């Protein structure tokens, strides 16, 4: 079972690595008032994913606090 888990992890890693290699082209994110951010596409996708994950965790904090207080 452990071998299967490691094989799935390796598959995920190599899939994401291939995605990164295929998306090295520069992309532009246009902000307000003429501001731009130029970066490789994969960096933009990873930053967006990171902000989304952080937002999701922060949105769950109040619920975790309520659950923690209920068990005390």
């Amino acid at each position: 079972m452990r071998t299967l888990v490691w094989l799935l992890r390796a598959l995920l890693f190599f899939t994401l690595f291939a995605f990164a290699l295929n998306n090295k082209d520069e992309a532009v994110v246009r902000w307000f008032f003429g501001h731009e951010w130029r970066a490789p596409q994969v960096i933009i996708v990873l930053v967006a994913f990171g902000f989304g994950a952080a937002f999701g965790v922060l949105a769950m904090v109040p619920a975790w606090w309520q659950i923690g207080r209920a068990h005390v």
Side-chain angles (χ1 to χ4, degrees):
M1 186 65 177
R2 291 174 62 123
T3 305
L4 180 63
V5 169
W6 277 105
L7 286 173
L8 288 173
R9 287 178 183 170
L11 178 67
L12 179 65
F13 172 79
F14 287 116
T15 301
L16 292 174
F17 188 70
F19 173 78
L21 289 177
N22 287 327
N23 289 290
K24 295 185 296 185
D25 297 334
E26 188 173 276
V28 179
V29 177
R30 291 183 185 8
W31 300 95
F32 299 109
F33 309 113
H35 294 285
E36 294 182 345
W37 179 41
R38 294 178 181 270
Q41 288 176 346
V42 68
I43 298 298
I44 293 171
V45 169
L46 289 175
V47 167
F49 174 78
F51 278 124
F55 180 75
V57 168
L58 289 175
M60 288 297 299
V61 168
W64 290 335
W65 283 340
Q66 287 180 348
I67 291 170
R69 280 187 272 168
H71 287 58
V72 173

